[in-house]
Each structure stands twice: as C-alpha cells, then as structure tokens.
Amino acid sequence: MNLLNDPGFELTPTLWTLQDARAQIVDDKDAYWVKPQAGERMLRLPTRAKAISEWFDVSDAAALDVTFYANTYDSERFVDCRIEFDGAPYSGGATHVNSGGPKWKRFTFRAVKPSQSISRARVVVSTNTADVRVDSFTVTAT
C-alpha cells in the first residue's frame, strides 16, 4: 500500500509543499516532448527547487521502499530524492540520479528507519539543475 496520499500530483490542491515559486504542478501541455508518466499531472522542478510530500505514518515500518520516475530534456540534469524521518539527525536513503532524454526512467531506493521510535516521514525531492520532471511516487513499508 502506498503511504503517500498524492503520489502523482493529481489532487487539487496538492498535498506537496513546493519550496520555490517556480516549482509547478503541470499537465501534458507543459512541454511538447513529455507527458505525465501516469495520470494528468507531474511535478516540474526548476534550478535549485524543492518539493516535500505530506508527513505519513511509518510507525510499523523498519524501512521504506521508494520508487519514482524522472524525466529530463538532456542527460546533463539530475534530481535528488530522499526520505526525511521526523526527529532524525539525518535523512535516509538519498539517491542521486541522472536521467537523460524524453523517456521516463524508474528509480528505486530503500531508506532504513534510524530508530523504531520514529513515527513520521516524508519525501523530499530537489534539483540543482534545470527543468526536471518527476511523477508517480510509491512509498511502501517493509
């Protein structure tokens, strides 16, 4: 079961916090070369932008398996995705990806919960490069 309530940016308003005024939830009219990986919307992150999901319950989890899709116009761009555990001094399961071309690429990683006392976590996705699109997050407890 996906722990995220808005994994594909379909809800209006979205449950994701966009930490840059230029970060946007966009549809298939955003660019001629890319359509959402699933559904009708996707997240567009410009240079140095960040988006954060809602907090979700991880009380019964030892770890989280995360899957998401990224799409960029060329291979010079990247996106970082990590799990932020509430109250933990560091984030778990950071991944750095390089996704080139007009095709969606699937990425997965596992984030181990640093303490069993932690009950909440959230997804943080960001980029230091231009116009990265992400979509279709899945976060499951293991």
Side-chain angles (χ1 to χ4, degrees), residues 68 78-82 95-97 124-128:
F68 69 99
F78 64 89
V79 62
D80 287 313
C81 182
R82 62 186 168 85
T95 188
H96 174 88
V97 299
V124 178
V125 60
S126 62
T127 184
N128 286 321

Side-chain angles (χ1 to χ4, degrees), residues 58-63 85 111-120 142:
V58 296
S59 298
D60 296 330
F85 292 101
V112 176
K113 192 164 73 169
S115 167
Q116 286 307 308
S117 66
I118 292 174
S119 63
R120 299 188 318 164
T142 60

